[in-house]
Amino acid sequence: MNKKRIISAMLACVVSMSAAAALSGCDSSSEGSSGKSAKKSEDGKAVLEVLTHRTDRVDDGSLDEMTKAFEEENNCDVQYVAYQDYTGTIATRMGTDDYGDVLMIPDDVELKDLGNFFEPLGTYDEMSATYRWADRKMDADKNVYGIAYGGNAVGVLYNKKVWSDAGITDLPKTPDEFLADLQLIADKTDAIPYYTQYADASWTITQWQSLVLSATGDPEYENKLLTDKLDLFAEDGGYYPVYKLMFDLFSTPSVIEEDHMTTEWESSKVWMGEGKIGTMMMGSWAIAQFREQAENPDDIGYMPVPITAADGKQYAETAPDYCVGVSKHADNKELAKKYVEWFTGESGFAEKEGMIPAKKDSALPDNLSEFENAEFFEKAATPEELVGKFNEIDTKSGVGVYNGDTDNFKIKLAEAAFAGKGEDEFKAIIAAENEKWAAARDEILG
């Protein structure tokens, strides 16, 4: 049977609204676990609506192909609804009871509110025995509402041939070495040394935040920001070296594209594969996408964060991408949970994408071979008394460490760098963020 896969966000909204609700239930019953009548496909199979940000994998049909095994085993029809502006569109849909059966949990849903929108999948003690990053979508009672569909090692995406053509033989270990290597690329090749992806800054600039913990090499760093009341931008911490590198990089016109407001995400995949771009700051989730577009997939490499920790080592944090959860309004919640377990543990999607699988007994992907001299680690679990506090402080302060909105400090730093405002402006911006963070932290923690 040829299934109708909904790609357009506008079309998806119209269809889902006319259908009244996202309906599932792959058993023989006409009612799901919520007591509502489950939607059936034309051939009588129950329908499971899965919302995703992976428009590329819906467009190329690979998600459909992969899911056939699950559909056959459970006698159901999985319908993927993909959104380019996933966060914005899902925020609108979550204002109703109709936001699919299974979906990628938006990061702007506060931990304390997870239970209002999603079904618990188990307790932290239960889930952490099997899955990495089990505390990512966990409330204060240690109920887990989402499982990562895959994880990323933190690092830098680059074209090996471009770097080699510039005469670079050793990968950089410090910000100064990184900037010097980019200048070599500018001097000795025709490639854009570093591509900012700034036209899509609302999400691309947030990629820099993922470098912070790796820069410290300390799994407990985020907890220590609270328990030890450290300055957010302390020079010996993680935020300062990461965002100082970003600022210095964006302040150097010779190593970035000529017009940062006209960058193109999809086209950049082709351009990097053609050797027109040397480097980008992206999670390891991007490796597979760029290799698919490359003339020679082996040219696409991934290097550790070019920052050396205080102990002289380079570190790479492994962290989850979106977590997959079950809507509180799903009709057949048990079937929806079964899909989540299958997708995150058995489908092979993470491995195909070059990502780290969520299940702890899975092997790391081959594309992280260049991290042989770096040490992998996972962020330490949050102590019970601090669960949700980091997010609460972040929200109250307005710092928005994972945000990329127009008033965010990352955007302010980037704009100041592009405008050549210099070191004094950098210091002024981070001083203001330090002050906001400390005030919110002291008010919440006492």
Side-chain angles (χ1 to χ4, degrees), residues 422-435:
E423 190 83 5
D424 288 345
E425 186 67 11
F426 172 80
K427 291 179 179 178
I429 292 171
I430 66 170
E433 301 304 312
N434 266 333
E435 185 175 347

Side-chain angles (χ1 to χ4, degrees), residues 351-391:
E351 291 89 335
K352 182 180 177 182
E353 295 296 309
M355 302 175 74
I356 302 169
K359 292 193 75 172
K360 289 184 173 180
D361 58 2
S362 302
L364 290 173
D366 293 338
N367 54 26
L368 297 178
S369 61
E370 293 179 55
F371 284 65
E372 59 182 3
N373 294 320
E375 295 196 18
F376 286 111
F377 71 96
E378 296 177 21
K379 184 175 73 173
T382 306
E384 186 171 355
E385 68 275 13
L386 293 178
V387 170
K389 295 299 182 183
F390 186 95
N391 295 73

Side-chain angles (χ1 to χ4, degrees), residues 231-233 397 399 428-442:
D231 283 345
L232 192 65
F233 281 91
S397 68
V399 170
I429 292 171
I430 66 170
E433 301 304 312
N434 266 333
E435 185 175 347
K436 290 192 299 184
W437 178 271
R441 178 199 64 208
D442 293 345

Side-chain angles (χ1 to χ4, degrees), residues 225 241 299 410 439:
L225 282 171
D299 284 346
K410 302 176 199 65

Side-chain angles (χ1 to χ4, degrees), residues 122-135 144 147 358-362 378:
T123 66
Y124 175 74
D125 289 342
E126 294 168 343
M127 304 298 285
S128 62
T130 302
Y131 298 101
R132 297 181 172 99
W133 318 297
D135 64 337
V144 175
I147 302 172
K359 292 193 75 172
K360 289 184 173 180
D361 58 2
S362 302
E378 296 177 21

